[in-house]
Short mmCIF file of all heavy atoms in Angstrom, two decimals:
data_model
loop_
_atom_site.label_atom_id
_atom_site.label_comp_id
_atom_site.label_asym_id
_atom_site.label_seq_id
_atom_site.Cartn_x
_atom_site.Cartn_y
_atom_site.Cartn_z
N ALA R 121 8.17 14.89 1.11
CA ALA R 121 6.80 15.17 1.53
C ALA R 121 6.55 16.68 1.60
O ALA R 121 5.45 17.16 1.28
CB ALA R 121 6.52 14.53 2.88
N MET R 122 7.57 17.43 2.00
CA MET R 122 7.44 18.89 2.06
C MET R 122 7.16 19.46 0.68
O MET R 122 6.39 20.42 0.52
CB MET R 122 8.70 19.51 2.66
CG MET R 122 8.93 19.16 4.13
SD MET R 122 10.51 19.75 4.77
CE MET R 122 10.18 21.52 4.92
N LYS R 123 7.78 18.87 -0.33
CA LYS R 123 7.58 19.35 -1.70
C LYS R 123 6.13 19.17 -2.15
O LYS R 123 5.62 19.95 -2.96
CB LYS R 123 8.50 18.60 -2.66
CG LYS R 123 9.97 18.91 -2.49
CD LYS R 123 10.81 18.03 -3.41
CE LYS R 123 12.29 18.22 -3.16
NZ LYS R 123 13.11 17.29 -3.97
N ARG R 124 5.47 18.14 -1.62
CA ARG R 124 4.08 17.89 -2.01
C ARG R 124 3.11 18.80 -1.25
O ARG R 124 1.96 18.96 -1.66
CB ARG R 124 3.72 16.42 -1.75
CG ARG R 124 4.51 15.42 -2.54
CD ARG R 124 3.88 14.03 -2.46
NE ARG R 124 3.93 13.45 -1.13
CZ ARG R 124 4.91 12.71 -0.66
NH1 ARG R 124 5.98 12.48 -1.42
NH2 ARG R 124 4.87 12.22 0.57
N ALA R 125 3.55 19.34 -0.13
CA ALA R 125 2.64 20.08 0.75
C ALA R 125 2.39 21.50 0.26
O ALA R 125 3.21 22.09 -0.43
CB ALA R 125 3.22 20.12 2.16
N ASN R 126 1.23 22.02 0.64
CA ASN R 126 0.90 23.42 0.38
C ASN R 126 1.50 24.33 1.43
O ASN R 126 1.76 25.50 1.19
CB ASN R 126 -0.62 23.61 0.40
CG ASN R 126 -1.20 23.83 -0.98
OD1 ASN R 126 -0.51 23.64 -1.97
ND2 ASN R 126 -2.45 24.24 -1.04
N GLY R 127 1.71 23.78 2.65
CA GLY R 127 2.24 24.59 3.74
C GLY R 127 2.77 23.69 4.84
O GLY R 127 2.45 22.50 4.90
N ILE R 128 3.58 24.27 5.71
CA ILE R 128 4.23 23.53 6.79
C ILE R 128 3.92 24.22 8.12
O ILE R 128 4.00 25.45 8.23
CB ILE R 128 5.76 23.49 6.62
CG1 ILE R 128 6.15 23.05 5.19
CG2 ILE R 128 6.41 22.61 7.67
CD1 ILE R 128 5.83 21.63 4.86
N ILE R 129 3.61 23.43 9.16
CA ILE R 129 3.41 23.95 10.51
C ILE R 129 4.20 23.06 11.46
O ILE R 129 4.10 21.83 11.39
CB ILE R 129 1.92 23.93 10.93
CG1 ILE R 129 1.06 24.72 9.93
CG2 ILE R 129 1.75 24.51 12.33
CD1 ILE R 129 -0.44 24.54 10.14
N THR R 130 5.00 23.66 12.36
CA THR R 130 5.78 22.86 13.30
C THR R 130 5.54 23.33 14.74
O THR R 130 5.16 24.46 14.99
CB THR R 130 7.29 22.95 13.01
OG1 THR R 130 7.77 24.26 13.34
CG2 THR R 130 7.59 22.65 11.56
N ASP R 131 5.81 22.43 15.68
CA ASP R 131 5.73 22.76 17.11
C ASP R 131 6.94 23.59 17.53
O ASP R 131 6.84 24.49 18.35
CB ASP R 131 5.72 21.49 17.96
CG ASP R 131 4.40 20.75 17.88
OD1 ASP R 131 3.46 21.27 17.27
OD2 ASP R 131 4.32 19.64 18.42
N GLU R 132 8.10 23.22 17.02
CA GLU R 132 9.35 23.80 17.48
C GLU R 132 10.00 24.62 16.38
O GLU R 132 9.52 24.66 15.26
CB GLU R 132 10.31 22.69 17.93
CG GLU R 132 9.78 21.84 19.09
CD GLU R 132 10.69 20.68 19.43
OE1 GLU R 132 11.71 20.49 18.72
OE2 GLU R 132 10.40 19.96 20.40
N GLY R 133 11.12 25.25 16.75
CA GLY R 133 11.95 25.91 15.74
C GLY R 133 11.84 27.41 15.69
O GLY R 133 10.87 28.00 16.15
N GLY R 134 12.85 28.01 15.11
CA GLY R 134 12.89 29.45 14.87
C GLY R 134 12.93 29.72 13.38
O GLY R 134 12.81 28.81 12.56
N VAL R 135 13.15 30.97 13.01
CA VAL R 135 13.06 31.36 11.60
C VAL R 135 14.24 30.89 10.76
O VAL R 135 14.25 31.10 9.55
CB VAL R 135 12.90 32.89 11.46
CG1 VAL R 135 11.60 33.35 12.05
CG2 VAL R 135 14.08 33.61 12.11
N THR R 136 15.22 30.27 11.39
CA THR R 136 16.33 29.72 10.60
C THR R 136 16.45 28.21 10.79
O THR R 136 17.50 27.64 10.50
CB THR R 136 17.66 30.39 11.00
OG1 THR R 136 17.86 30.22 12.39
CG2 THR R 136 17.65 31.86 10.65
N CYS R 137 15.40 27.56 11.25
CA CYS R 137 15.44 26.10 11.42
C CYS R 137 15.28 25.40 10.07
O CYS R 137 15.05 26.03 9.04
CB CYS R 137 14.34 25.65 12.40
SG CYS R 137 12.67 25.89 11.75
N HIS R 138 15.37 24.09 10.10
CA HIS R 138 15.28 23.30 8.87
C HIS R 138 13.99 23.58 8.11
O HIS R 138 13.99 23.83 6.90
CB HIS R 138 15.38 21.80 9.21
CG HIS R 138 15.25 20.91 8.02
ND1 HIS R 138 14.03 20.42 7.59
CD2 HIS R 138 16.17 20.43 7.16
CE1 HIS R 138 14.22 19.68 6.50
NE2 HIS R 138 15.51 19.66 6.23
N ALA R 139 12.87 23.54 8.81
CA ALA R 139 11.57 23.75 8.16
C ALA R 139 11.52 25.11 7.48
O ALA R 139 10.99 25.26 6.36
CB ALA R 139 10.45 23.63 9.19
N ALA R 140 12.06 26.13 8.14
CA ALA R 140 12.01 27.49 7.60
C ALA R 140 12.87 27.61 6.35
O ALA R 140 12.44 28.17 5.33
CB ALA R 140 12.48 28.48 8.67
N ILE R 141 14.10 27.10 6.41
CA ILE R 141 15.02 27.21 5.28
C ILE R 141 14.46 26.51 4.04
O ILE R 141 14.42 27.07 2.94
CB ILE R 141 16.40 26.63 5.65
CG1 ILE R 141 17.09 27.53 6.68
CG2 ILE R 141 17.29 26.48 4.42
CD1 ILE R 141 18.35 26.93 7.28
N VAL R 142 14.03 25.27 4.22
CA VAL R 142 13.53 24.49 3.08
C VAL R 142 12.24 25.11 2.54
O VAL R 142 12.05 25.20 1.32
CB VAL R 142 13.32 23.02 3.48
CG1 VAL R 142 12.68 22.25 2.34
CG2 VAL R 142 14.64 22.39 3.86
N SER R 143 11.35 25.53 3.42
CA SER R 143 10.08 26.11 2.98
C SER R 143 10.31 27.37 2.15
O SER R 143 9.66 27.59 1.12
CB SER R 143 9.19 26.44 4.18
OG SER R 143 8.81 25.27 4.86
N ARG R 144 11.24 28.21 2.60
CA ARG R 144 11.51 29.43 1.83
C ARG R 144 12.07 29.09 0.45
O ARG R 144 11.72 29.73 -0.54
CB ARG R 144 12.49 30.33 2.60
CG ARG R 144 11.85 31.06 3.77
CD ARG R 144 12.74 32.17 4.30
NE ARG R 144 13.93 31.68 4.94
CZ ARG R 144 14.05 31.44 6.25
NH1 ARG R 144 13.00 31.64 7.03
NH2 ARG R 144 15.18 31.02 6.76
N GLU R 145 12.93 28.11 0.41
CA GLU R 145 13.51 27.75 -0.88
C GLU R 145 12.47 27.14 -1.82
O GLU R 145 12.50 27.37 -3.03
CB GLU R 145 14.66 26.77 -0.67
CG GLU R 145 15.43 26.49 -1.96
CD GLU R 145 16.84 26.02 -1.68
OE1 GLU R 145 17.44 26.45 -0.68
OE2 GLU R 145 17.33 25.22 -2.48
N LEU R 146 11.53 26.38 -1.27
CA LEU R 146 10.48 25.77 -2.08
C LEU R 146 9.34 26.75 -2.38
O LEU R 146 8.48 26.45 -3.20
CB LEU R 146 9.91 24.55 -1.36
CG LEU R 146 10.84 23.34 -1.22
CD1 LEU R 146 10.18 22.28 -0.35
CD2 LEU R 146 11.19 22.76 -2.58
N GLY R 147 9.35 27.89 -1.70
CA GLY R 147 8.25 28.84 -1.88
C GLY R 147 6.97 28.40 -1.22
O GLY R 147 5.87 28.70 -1.69
N ILE R 148 7.08 27.67 -0.09
CA ILE R 148 5.92 27.15 0.62
C ILE R 148 5.72 27.95 1.90
O ILE R 148 6.66 28.11 2.68
CB ILE R 148 6.12 25.66 0.99
CG1 ILE R 148 6.24 24.80 -0.27
CG2 ILE R 148 4.97 25.15 1.85
CD1 ILE R 148 6.63 23.37 0.03
N PRO R 149 4.52 28.45 2.18
CA PRO R 149 4.27 29.14 3.45
C PRO R 149 4.55 28.23 4.64
O PRO R 149 4.26 27.03 4.60
CB PRO R 149 2.79 29.51 3.37
CG PRO R 149 2.49 29.57 1.90
CD PRO R 149 3.34 28.50 1.29
N CYS R 150 5.10 28.81 5.70
CA CYS R 150 5.50 28.00 6.85
C CYS R 150 5.34 28.78 8.14
O CYS R 150 5.70 29.97 8.20
CB CYS R 150 6.95 27.55 6.68
SG CYS R 150 7.61 26.58 8.05
N VAL R 151 4.81 28.11 9.17
CA VAL R 151 4.72 28.67 10.52
C VAL R 151 5.43 27.71 11.46
O VAL R 151 5.13 26.51 11.48
CB VAL R 151 3.25 28.84 10.97
CG1 VAL R 151 3.18 29.29 12.43
CG2 VAL R 151 2.53 29.83 10.08
N VAL R 152 6.40 28.20 12.23
CA VAL R 152 7.16 27.35 13.14
C VAL R 152 6.96 27.79 14.58
O VAL R 152 6.47 28.88 14.86
CB VAL R 152 8.66 27.37 12.79
CG1 VAL R 152 8.89 26.88 11.38
CG2 VAL R 152 9.26 28.76 12.98
N GLY R 153 7.39 26.95 15.51
CA GLY R 153 7.40 27.32 16.93
C GLY R 153 6.04 27.55 17.54
O GLY R 153 5.90 28.35 18.46
N THR R 154 5.01 26.82 17.08
CA THR R 154 3.68 27.00 17.66
C THR R 154 3.59 26.39 19.05
O THR R 154 2.77 26.81 19.86
CB THR R 154 2.60 26.34 16.79
OG1 THR R 154 2.86 24.92 16.74
CG2 THR R 154 2.61 26.91 15.37
N GLY R 155 4.41 25.39 19.32
CA GLY R 155 4.41 24.74 20.63
C GLY R 155 3.39 23.63 20.78
O GLY R 155 3.58 22.70 21.56
N ASP R 156 2.28 23.71 20.01
CA ASP R 156 1.21 22.74 20.26
C ASP R 156 0.47 22.27 19.02
O ASP R 156 -0.54 21.59 19.13
CB ASP R 156 0.18 23.38 21.22
CG ASP R 156 -0.38 24.67 20.69
OD1 ASP R 156 -0.14 25.01 19.51
OD2 ASP R 156 -1.07 25.38 21.45
N ALA R 157 0.93 22.62 17.83
CA ALA R 157 0.17 22.31 16.62
C ALA R 157 -0.15 20.83 16.48
O ALA R 157 -1.27 20.45 16.15
CB ALA R 157 0.93 22.80 15.38
N THR R 158 0.83 19.97 16.76
CA THR R 158 0.59 18.53 16.56
C THR R 158 -0.43 17.97 17.55
O THR R 158 -1.02 16.92 17.29
CB THR R 158 1.91 17.73 16.71
OG1 THR R 158 2.49 18.02 17.99
CG2 THR R 158 2.89 18.10 15.62
N SER R 159 -0.64 18.66 18.66
CA SER R 159 -1.56 18.13 19.68
C SER R 159 -2.95 18.74 19.60
O SER R 159 -3.91 18.13 20.06
CB SER R 159 -0.98 18.36 21.09
OG SER R 159 -0.76 19.73 21.33
N ILE R 160 -3.08 19.93 19.01
CA ILE R 160 -4.40 20.57 19.02
C ILE R 160 -5.08 20.65 17.66
O ILE R 160 -6.28 20.91 17.58
CB ILE R 160 -4.34 21.98 19.64
CG1 ILE R 160 -3.58 22.96 18.74
CG2 ILE R 160 -3.75 21.97 21.03
CD1 ILE R 160 -3.76 24.40 19.15
N ILE R 161 -4.33 20.44 16.58
CA ILE R 161 -4.95 20.48 15.24
C ILE R 161 -5.37 19.06 14.86
O ILE R 161 -4.54 18.16 14.79
CB ILE R 161 -3.99 21.05 14.18
CG1 ILE R 161 -3.50 22.44 14.59
CG2 ILE R 161 -4.68 21.11 12.82
CD1 ILE R 161 -2.52 23.06 13.61
#
């Protein structure tokens, strides 16, 4: 699913978490550690 996405946003994580590593390798913009993305977007 990440491969199909234009970008990734997560509630948790740092710059070396799973989302960050895979996003960089796929060349997909990613923002992690927002704390509340799933509840407010």
Side-chain angles (χ1 to χ4, degrees):
M122 293 173 74
K123 292 175 186 175
R124 297 193 294 270
N126 253 12
I128 311 291
I129 304 170
T130 70
D131 287 353
E132 299 175 356
V135 295
T136 56
C137 67
H138 178 270
I141 291 171
V142 175
S143 295
R144 285 194 292 267
E145 188 157 327
L146 292 174
I148 297 172
C150 178
V151 174
V152 300
T154 62
D156 57 10
T158 56
S159 59
I160 69 168
I161 304 179

